[in-house]
């Protein structure tokens, strides 16, 4: 078991601000959204399956998937949304696992998995040592979304309503970063969280064991090379 930290939030709650601070601190952050965009690029397995089931009408002129067109299809058809998830989620999880292993070998104390729907799906939380929610109060969330996306109040409320409310997610999270105020307040909270996670010695034995194995293999290779060269 790796030392994994699940990070989530809500639309316009300010998760990107928190991630930026974590990256500044040198933390290992795996962005599920970025991976989701990568695995549906042409020549990937998920791309071929999506085109097979949804047709070529969802493609742009350059052959890439038109995410807006695909989104319009699945938004009003839960069955098709489940089909898309069944295609993409295994590929996303495989790529996340590759990156987790990379950071494990590099000796990071913990790895942050930035997963927007972490609490909605609830399938990955059991693998997390702790979970972090980027929170802001509902009026602030609504105001930020309207301003950021140029939406009417009704449009913004509809988008927020499509997600699990932040107050519900707050009950499920191990840690909460309250991003309702200014950036400096948020930054201080992230620094405290980082210090707390860095102080944890959980799974240190696993890294030491892995290091011992690697060192042993390296020594064996060195001895074999000396034998054959002599």
């Amino acid at each position: 078991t790796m030392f994994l930290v699940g990070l989530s939030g809500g639309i316009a709650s300010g998760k990107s601000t928190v991630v930026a601070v974590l990256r500044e601190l040198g933390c290992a952050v795996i962005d599920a959204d970025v991976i989701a965009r990568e695995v549906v690029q042409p020549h990937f397995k998920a791309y071929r399956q999506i085109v097979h089931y949804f047709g070529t009408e969802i493609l742009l002129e350059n052959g890439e998937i038109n995410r807006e067109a695909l989104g319009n299809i699945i938004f009003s058809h839960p069955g098709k949304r489940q089909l898309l998830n069944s295609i993409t989620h295994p590929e996303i999880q495989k790529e996340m696992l590759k990156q987790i292993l990379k950071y494990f070998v590099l000796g990071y104390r913990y790895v942050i998995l930035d997963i927007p729907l972490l609490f909605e799906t609830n399938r990955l939380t059991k693998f997390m040592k702790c979970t972090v929610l980027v929170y802001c109060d509902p009026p602030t969330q609504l105001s930020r979304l309207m301003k950021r996306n140029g939406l009417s109040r009704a449009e913004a409320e509809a988008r927020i309503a499509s997600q699990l409310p932040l107050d519900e997610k707050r009950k499920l999270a191990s840690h909460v970063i309250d991003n309702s105020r200014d950036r400096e307040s948020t930054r201080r909270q992230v620094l405290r969280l980082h210090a707390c996670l860095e102080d944890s010695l959980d799974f240190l034995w696993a890294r030491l064991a892995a290091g011992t194995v690697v060192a042993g293999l390296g020594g064996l290779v060195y001895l074999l090379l000396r034998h054959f060269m002599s």
Side-chain angles (χ1 to χ4, degrees):
T1 306
M2 285 286 296
F3 185 170
L4 302 179
V5 179
L7 175 69
S8 193
I11 187 169
S13 68
K15 184 163 59 66
S16 59
T17 299
V18 171
V19 169
V21 177
L22 289 168
R23 291 190 188 279
E24 286 176 17
L25 294 169
C27 298
V29 181
I30 298 174
D31 189 328
D33 267 354
V34 171
I35 294 174
R37 288 192 290 271
E38 290 175 349
V39 300
V40 297
Q41 291 298 308
H43 312 302
F44 280 83
K45 177 182 176 182
Y47 172 91
R48 294 192 297 271
Q49 290 180 317
I50 291 170
V51 174
H52 173 74
Y53 285 108
F54 290 90
T56 56
E57 60 269 21
I58 63 164
L59 298 179
L60 297 168
E61 290 184 3
N62 62 2
E64 293 184 1
I65 290 174
N66 185 331
R67 294 171 62 85
E68 183 178 353
L70 184 58
N72 290 336
I73 293 172
I74 66 172
F75 183 77
S76 55
H77 296 87
K80 292 184 177 180
R81 182 164 63 248
Q82 290 176 4
L83 172 60
L84 179 64
N85 289 341
S86 71
I87 294 170
T88 59
H89 285 183
E91 301 305 311
I92 293 169
Q93 290 169 13
K94 279 193 279 188
E95 183 57 34
M96 289 176 73
L97 180 58
K98 289 179 186 177
Q99 295 191 26
I100 289 169
L101 291 174
K102 177 188 72 174
Y103 287 122
F104 176 81
V105 171
L106 291 174
Y108 279 78
R109 188 176 296 278
Y110 63 93
V111 177
I112 298 167
L113 302 182
D114 178 357
I115 306 175
L117 299 180
L118 177 65
F119 296 108
E120 280 85 349
T121 57
N122 204 33
R123 289 195 303 270
L124 297 177
T125 53
K126 60 185 176 183
F127 300 109
M128 312 295 175
K129 179 178 183 291
C130 61
T131 54
V132 181
L133 174 70
V134 182
Y135 174 88
C136 70
D137 60 78
T140 301
Q141 182 185 24
L142 180 62
S143 174
R144 286 175 178 171
L145 181 57
M146 291 171 63
K147 182 178 180 180
R148 187 190 73 183
N149 291 35
L151 301 176
S152 68
R153 184 182 186 89
E155 290 171 330
E157 287 176 341
R159 294 201 181 188
I160 292 172
S162 68
Q163 298 182 343
L164 189 66
L166 285 173
D167 284 326
E168 290 297 316
K169 293 182 182 181
R170 189 170 193 167
K171 299 173 186 176
L172 302 172
S174 309
H175 303 272
V176 176
I177 302 292
D178 192 336
N179 191 39
S180 302
R181 292 175 287 174
D182 57 85
R183 284 176 178 261
E184 187 53 37
S185 171
T186 300
R187 183 180 180 84
R188 288 195 298 269
Q189 293 176 70
V190 176
L191 291 175
R192 286 196 295 270
L193 173 66
H194 177 62
C196 176
L197 295 172
E198 281 290 305
D199 285 341
S200 172
L201 295 178
D202 288 356
F203 311 113
L204 179 59
W205 65 269
R207 288 193 299 277
L208 291 174
T212 301
V213 171
V214 171
L217 289 173
L220 179 61
V221 171
Y222 173 73
L223 290 174
L224 288 172
L225 287 173
R226 284 194 60 183
H227 172 75
F228 286 115
M229 289 177 68
S230 60

